[in-house]
Structures are given as structure tokens and as C-alpha cells.
């Protein structure tokens, strides 16, 4: 393992962010008032909804024509038109409300936690006819988002199956929100959820396509120019996808590696990983709480630390055997550290992730290459057939007996402790330090056994909680091993909306107590 001086800088930056959040130094700006007003806003991000319209996060910098201190708000536009694009400025008239507070029910899921971490303090529902003015700008965010939307429109016009379009949009354009929840659950149960979100694997295939396009420079012995143009193209792709943390991390590491080749210096993988994390956290500190950020960096750290230990084939003497062994070795190495993080956030663990990943690895580069060709030519090529193969692998793996370990609720302290101990073990084993590797392995085993044997918390035989939402009062009750929801609403549409939302909010509440439901009274 190489020395990693940037790790100290990264650790200090993480400590500053976490301590600032815990001490309240980074408290977000509150709106000057709540109520109906004319607001000027700058769109930061946009997410489509399954029903109607879209949800955006915006910076509001003026109220009734007067400049104010900028605060962030969640904007729900109740129509698909006019279309909102990141980097766009707009003006609307609507009623500002405080962001919904965290639920007071124990073990409930806070649906607004991600928004709060981004500094969002207000919420507003904007009718279509209240948007009076939309002005496109020449900002990089707007130009890249507009190009991404244009690519999505072109992809939708290709005569392909709707599921193929959604999956290609996620893999090539970073539009993971387009993938159906049922498809996402199937891929997650098979240990293939990382395929539906842009990651280092996707970026590596994109880099291969760029390198292939620049092949004439290699023939002309312009190696430095080829590497420099590849770096520029990769950063353009990162901007095109909205600087997703996993893409930014992969592009940063690739750039450091290729720049090292340009100046004929060898780069250290751990330094590159730390540099990528530092760059992301400086510009977007809240990403430290992002599940995608944590999974991406945990997976790459696992590959850096454990891949040399897992793949012991001599590369020089047996190149083809080394290549074949690298496929399962990469998946296993990444899952060693990413698995505990995923289990903490999603409370599940895919048992057959290794064979599933081995089967899809040969398909992925062909699918991404075919998707790029389809985007360029407007032809479906063989994308539908490849997605059918992926769906078949994911579906059959997810239906195997015992495919998923469920109801995993490890304590929060266990995950960072386990990752640190695993990294210590990997480094010690890589350096041949038998004492340290055996000691860390024993501590890991002991820690896991203690958590497994820890008695399950005792909950009251009956629990009743009252929740007030605007003009609605809800009662959540856990009685006789069943969870009930009752609400004083009149229309069936309101009942369905409340039940759909609280079915998600109460998921952990129900699972931890082994309850049936929730059931709407």
C-alpha cells in the first residue's frame, strides 16, 4: 500500500463538516416569512414525479421584487409544463410553508431528511399558471442540463421497449429516477442495484469508448494529446450528468491517473480517491450524508484494499487467468466495504450478488456501447435483447431461495467501526503483518458476534401516536401485532395519498416490531 498524505486532509475536512453540523454552525437560512408571495428563484436540481409535475430544489433570492438573503426551498410544480431545468431562473406566486418537521414516531423514516441536509427550509406548491416568467441563462449548469434533456428526448424517440429506455437513461444520462420501483427492487435483491446508477464501472466503459474514438492519435504517436483530450471529455461527461458524486469520483481518479502518465509520474490509488472526496466535499459538503457518495467511496476503497488479496493470480505468467479472476475479485472486493453500508441504509443484503455480478459483467460493456450507438444513430441496435438478458439474470437471482437477508438493523456505530477494522485488516494482510491481521480479524469477529447476540429491544404492547399535518390529524397505533392508520379526511384520494406516504414512513416502525400492516382504517 502506498503512502496517503491526502487522507489526513480528508479526515480533517470530514471532522469539520460533521462537527459543524452537530454544533449548529452550518444552520441553513430560514425564509423571512411564510405565506403567499411573488418569489424569484434559481433552480438547482429537478426530479420527475410518478404522478404529475416535478419536484425541484431552488434558491429563492427575492420576494415581491425585493432582494433577500438566499434560502433554499422545495418546489413542487403541479404540471409537466412549463419544463424546469437546472440553472434556470424563474418567477412565481405561491404560498411558502415551512418544510415538514421530522416525524415524532420512533423508528419512522424522515422523507425530508435529504432536503434538510441540503439546507432546504421551505416548501411551496406552484400551480402552472402562477409561473409568470422563465428565463434561460448561459450558465454551465443550464447548458449541461439542457443537453441532458435533449439526449433523453432523443432516447425516447428510438423505437425501443420503455424499460430499455428507462435503464439506458439511468446508465448513460444519470436519470436513475426514471427506473420503476419494482425494477429497482428486483435488481437490489439480486445485488445489481449499482447497475441502475452511474458509477465507476459505467465511467470506465465511457472512457474506453472515448479512447477508441481517439485511436488515430495513438497511431500517430500523440499519446499525451490523447490522454489530455480523454480527461477533457470525461469532465464534460461529468458536467453532462450533473456532477453525480460517483461520476465525479471516478472522473477525478481517472484524471489523476492519466495526468500522471502525461508527466510520467505514477499515481497512488488511495491519494486519488481521497482527492476525489476532498473535491466533492469542498463544493458540496452535504454529500457526505448521501447514500450514493458513501456506497461509491466504500466500494472503491474496498477494491483498492482487498483486490490484491482476493486476486492472487500472477498477471505476468497467466494474463488470461488473471483477467477471468478479476471479474469476481472486483465484485467481492467492492462488496466487502459497500455491503455493510448498504445493509445499514436499506436493511437488506443480497446473498447471491457474486454470481449475479459475474454473469452481468460481460453484458454491461456491450449494452453501454450499444446505448451510445443508439443515441448517435437513432437505431435500437440490440439494446432490447441485452436488457432482457439483464432482467433475466436479476429476476432469476432475486427468486432464488434465501436470495436476500432482510430486517437488518445494525447500530449506527457498527458501520464506521467495521469499515475501519476491515481496512486495517486488509492493509495488514497486504503487508504481511500476521499479528495485526489476526488481531483485527478477531476484533471484527467479536464485534459482529456481539451485535448478533444483542437482545432485541422490548417495545410496549400497545403504542399510539398522534400526528398533525396542516389541517389533517392522523393517529398511528400498534395494537395486537397490527399497525393501524386513521385520518380525519373525507375524500378517497386524500386517504390514498396519506396511506401511500405513511406506508413508506412506517416501514421500519413495522419491521422492527414484527407488525402486520400498516392498515388504513
Amino acid at each position: 500500500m502506498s503512502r496517503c498524505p491526502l487522507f489526513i486532509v480528508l479526515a480533517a475536512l470530514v471532522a469539520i463538516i460533521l462537527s459543524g453540523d452537530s454544533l449548529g454552525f452550518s444552520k441553513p437560512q430560514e425564509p423571512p416569512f411564510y405565506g403567499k408571495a411573488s418569489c424569484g428563484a434559481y433552480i438547482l436540481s429537478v426530479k420527475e414525479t410518478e404522478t404529475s409535475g416535478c419536484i425541484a430544489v431552488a434558491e429563492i433570492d427575492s420576494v415581491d421584487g425585493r432582494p433577500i438573503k438566499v434560502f433554499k426551498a422545495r418546489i413542487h410544480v403541479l404540471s409537466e409544463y412549463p419544463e424546469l431545468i437546472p440553472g434556470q431562473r424563474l418567477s412565481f406566486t405561491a404560498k411558502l410553508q415551512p418544510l415538514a418537521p421530522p416525524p415524532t414516531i420512533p423508528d419512522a423514516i424522515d422523507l425530508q431528511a435529504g432536503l434538510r441536509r441540503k439546507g432546504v427550509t421551505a416548501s411551496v406548491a406552484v400551480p402552472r399558471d402562477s409561473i409568470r416568467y422563465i428565463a434561460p441563462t448561459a450558465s454551465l449548469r443550464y447548458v449541461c442540463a439542457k443537453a441532458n434533456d435533449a439526449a433523453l428526448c432523443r432516447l425516447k424517440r428510438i423505437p425501443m421497449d420503455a424499460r430499455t429506455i428507462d435503464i439506458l437513461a439511468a446508465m448513460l444520462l444519470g436519470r436513475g429516477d426514471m427506473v420503476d420501483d419494482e425494477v429497482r427492487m428486483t435488481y437490489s435483491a439480486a445485488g445489481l442495484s449499482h447497475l441502475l446508477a452511474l458509477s465507476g464501472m459505467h465511467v470506465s466503459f465511457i472512457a474506453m469508448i472515448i479512447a477508441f474514438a481517439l485511436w488515430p492519435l495513438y497511431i500517430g504517436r500523440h499519446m499525451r494529446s490523447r490522454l489530455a483530450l480523454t480527461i477533457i471529455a470525461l469532465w464534460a461527461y461529468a458536467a453532462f450528468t450533473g456532477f453525480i458524486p460517483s461520476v465525479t469520483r471516478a472522473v477525478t481518479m481517472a484524471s489523476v491517473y492519466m495526468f500522471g502518465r502525461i508527466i510520467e509520474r505514477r499515481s497512488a490509488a488511495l491519494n486519488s480517491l481521497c482527492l476525489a472526496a476532498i473535491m466533492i466535499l469542498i463544493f458540496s459538503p452535504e454529500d457526505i450524508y448521501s447514500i450514493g457518495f458513501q456506497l461509491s467511496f466504500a466500494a472503491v476503497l474496498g477494491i483498492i484494499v482487498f483486490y490484491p488479496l482476493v486476486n492472487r493470480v500472477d498477471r505476468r505468467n497467466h494474463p488470461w487467468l488473471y483477467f477471468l479472476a478479476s471479474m469476481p475479485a472486483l465484485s467481492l472486493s467492492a462488496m466487502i466495504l459497500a455491503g455493510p453500508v448498504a445493509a445499514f441504509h436499506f436493511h437488506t443484503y443480497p446473498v447471491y450478488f457474486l454470481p449475479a455480478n459475474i454473469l452481468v459483467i460481460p453484458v454491461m460493456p456491450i449494452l453501454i456501447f450499444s446505448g451510445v450507438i443508439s443515441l448517435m444513430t437513432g437505431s435500437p441496435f440490440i439494446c432490447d435483447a441485452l436488457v432482457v438478458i439483464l432482467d433475466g439474470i436479476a429476476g432469476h437471482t432475486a427468486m432464488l431461495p434465501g436470495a436476500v437477508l432482510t430486517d437488518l438493523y445494525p447500530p449506527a456505530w457498527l458501520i464506521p467501526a467495521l469499515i475501519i477494522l476491515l481496512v486495517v485488516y486488509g492493509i495488514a494482510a497486504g503487508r504481511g503483518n500476521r499479528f495485526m491481521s489476526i488481531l483485527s480479524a478477531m476484533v471484527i469477529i467479536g464485534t459482529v458476534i456481539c451485535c448478533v447476540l444483542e437482545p432485541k429491544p422490548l417495545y410496549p404492547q400497545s403504542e399510539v401516536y398522534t400526528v398533525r399535518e396542516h389541517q389533517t390529524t392522523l393517529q398511528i397505533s400498534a395494537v395486537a401485532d397490527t399497525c393501524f392508520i386513521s385520518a380525519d379526511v373525507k375524500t378517497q384520494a386524500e386517504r390514498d395519498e396519506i396511506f401511500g406516504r405513511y406506508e413508506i414512513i412506517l416501514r421500519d416502525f413495522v419491521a422492527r416490531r414484527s407488525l402486520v400492516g400498516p392498515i388504513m382504517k
Side-chain angles (χ1 to χ4, degrees):
M1 299 293 291
S2 304
R3 292 182 179 181
C4 186
L6 286 180
F7 173 76
I8 299 174
V9 180
L10 175 60
L13 180 60
V14 170
I16 292 171
I17 294 172
L18 296 179
S19 60
D21 288 348
S22 61
L23 297 175
F25 294 149
S26 55
K27 187 177 181 180
Q29 179 69 32
E30 293 282 346
F33 71 95
Y34 294 106
K36 192 171 184 178
S38 176
C39 303
Y42 176 81
I43 304 299
L44 297 176
S45 62
V46 178
K47 181 180 180 181
E48 296 182 1
T49 63
E50 294 183 359
T51 53
S52 63
C54 64
I55 294 175
V57 174
E59 291 180 340
I60 296 180
D61 52 18
S62 67
V63 173
D64 294 330
R66 300 188 307 272
I68 60 169
K69 283 188 176 181
V70 177
F71 65 91
K72 293 182 181 180
R74 171 189 181 271
I75 299 177
H76 185 191
V77 180
L78 306 176
S79 172
E80 295 181 1
Y81 300 99
E83 184 181 14
L84 298 187
I85 300 174
Q88 199 173 39
R89 292 198 60 83
L90 58 86
S91 177
F92 60 85
T93 300
K95 184 178 180 181
L96 281 173
Q97 295 179 335
L99 195 68
T104 56
I105 305 169
D107 302 319
I109 297 174
D110 184 4
L111 298 180
Q112 311 294 346
L115 292 174
R116 263 186 281 275
R117 287 168 181 156
K118 292 179 180 179
V120 176
T121 54
S123 176
V124 57
V126 182
R128 172 184 178 180
D129 55 2
S130 76
I131 299 179
R132 301 192 307 270
Y133 176 70
I134 297 180
T137 65
S139 68
L140 176 63
R141 186 193 297 267
Y142 177 83
V143 172
C144 293
K146 194 70 175 176
N148 194 290
D149 282 348
L152 179 61
C153 290
R154 182 175 176 82
L155 186 64
K156 287 182 176 180
R157 289 196 296 268
I158 300 173
M160 291 189 295
D161 185 77
R163 177 174 290 192
T164 302
I165 292 174
D166 292 345
I167 289 179
L168 286 178
M171 290 183 176
L172 298 178
L173 310 181
R175 297 296 191 96
D177 56 320
M178 293 187 60
V179 179
D180 184 77
D181 287 341
E182 183 179 351
V183 176
R184 194 178 297 279
M185 290 177 62
T186 301
Y187 276 67
S188 178
L192 301 174
S193 58
H194 60 283
L195 301 183
L196 303 178
L198 276 174
S199 63
M201 178 180 64
H202 301 78
V203 173
S204 65
F205 295 145
I206 296 295
M208 290 170 60
I209 294 173
I210 295 171
F212 179 77
L214 298 174
W215 186 258
L217 292 176
Y218 177 81
I219 298 175
R221 298 177 181 269
H222 298 290
M223 287 297 298
R224 286 186 171 86
S225 299
R226 185 188 183 207
L227 291 170
L229 288 174
T230 302
I231 293 173
I232 294 172
L234 285 176
W235 279 107
Y237 180 71
F240 171 76
T241 57
F243 291 106
I244 299 171
S246 57
V247 176
T248 305
R249 186 267 309 155
V251 171
T252 301
M253 294 187 68
S255 300
V256 171
Y257 170 75
M258 287 184 283
F259 184 73
R261 290 190 60 185
I262 291 174
I263 63 175
E264 298 181 354
R265 294 285 298 273
R266 186 177 179 182
S267 61
L270 273 176
N271 271 324
S272 301
L273 182 65
C274 291
L275 177 62
I278 291 169
M279 288 179 58
I280 293 172
L281 293 179
I282 286 176
F283 292 102
S284 183
E286 67 274 5
D287 278 342
I288 195 171
Y289 300 106
S290 165
I291 298 175
F293 177 91
Q294 295 174 13
L295 287 174
S296 175
F297 280 87
V300 177
L301 181 59
I303 292 172
I304 293 172
V305 174
F306 289 99
Y307 179 77
L309 299 176
V310 176
N311 191 356
R312 308 293 291 183
V313 179
D314 191 324
R315 186 173 185 176
R316 293 183 178 180
N317 295 331
H318 307 285
W320 283 105
L321 185 59
Y322 176 88
F323 173 75
L324 292 175
S326 66
M327 296 182 183
L330 282 171
S331 298
L332 182 58
S333 302
M335 201 64 173
I336 289 175
L337 295 187
V341 178
F344 175 76
H345 288 292
F346 304 116
H347 314 301
T348 59
Y349 190 90
V351 176
Y352 304 116
F353 73 90
L354 188 57
N357 278 275
I358 293 173
L359 291 174
V360 303
I361 283 176
V363 181
M364 282 301 297
I366 304 174
L367 177 58
I368 291 177
F369 186 70
S370 302
V372 172
I373 292 178
S374 296
L375 267 176
M376 294 173 62
T377 63
S379 169
F381 204 49
I382 57 172
C383 296
D384 281 333
L386 294 172
V387 170
V388 168
I389 294 174
L390 279 186
D391 286 347
I393 295 172
H396 284 86
T397 305
M399 289 189 295
L400 291 173
V404 184
L405 300 178
T406 59
D407 297 337
L408 302 177
Y409 293 93
W413 63 265
L414 175 65
I415 306 306
L418 191 59
I419 288 177
I420 292 172
L421 289 170
L422 285 168
V423 170
V424 170
Y425 169 79
I427 294 175
R431 292 181 173 178
N433 189 333
R434 292 188 60 186
F435 172 77
M436 200 64 189
S437 59
I438 293 174
L439 178 62
S440 55
M442 292 175 63
V443 174
I444 291 171
I445 294 171
T447 304
V448 173
I449 290 175
C450 289
C451 288
V452 171
L453 297 179
E454 185 179 4
K456 186 178 180 180
L458 296 176
Y459 298 102
Q461 292 185 350
S462 64
E463 299 176 73
V464 180
Y465 303 96
T466 301
V467 180
R468 290 179 175 84
E469 293 187 351
H470 305 302
Q471 299 179 351
T472 305
T473 301
L474 295 87
Q475 189 175 75
I476 314 298
S477 56
V479 183
D481 298 330
T482 305
C483 177
F484 296 98
I485 304 174
S486 59
D488 57 350
V489 293
K490 298 179 180 179
T491 66
Q492 186 62 39
E494 289 178 310
R495 290 172 59 87
D496 292 342
E497 190 276 331
I498 289 174
F499 178 73
R501 186 155 42 88
Y502 272 83
E503 191 175 23
I504 300 173
I505 292 174
L506 298 175
R507 184 183 63 200
D508 291 350
F509 176 85
V510 169
R512 284 178 177 268
R513 292 160 177 77
S514 302
L515 300 175
V516 177
I519 298 174
M520 193 79 177
K521 284 187 176 180

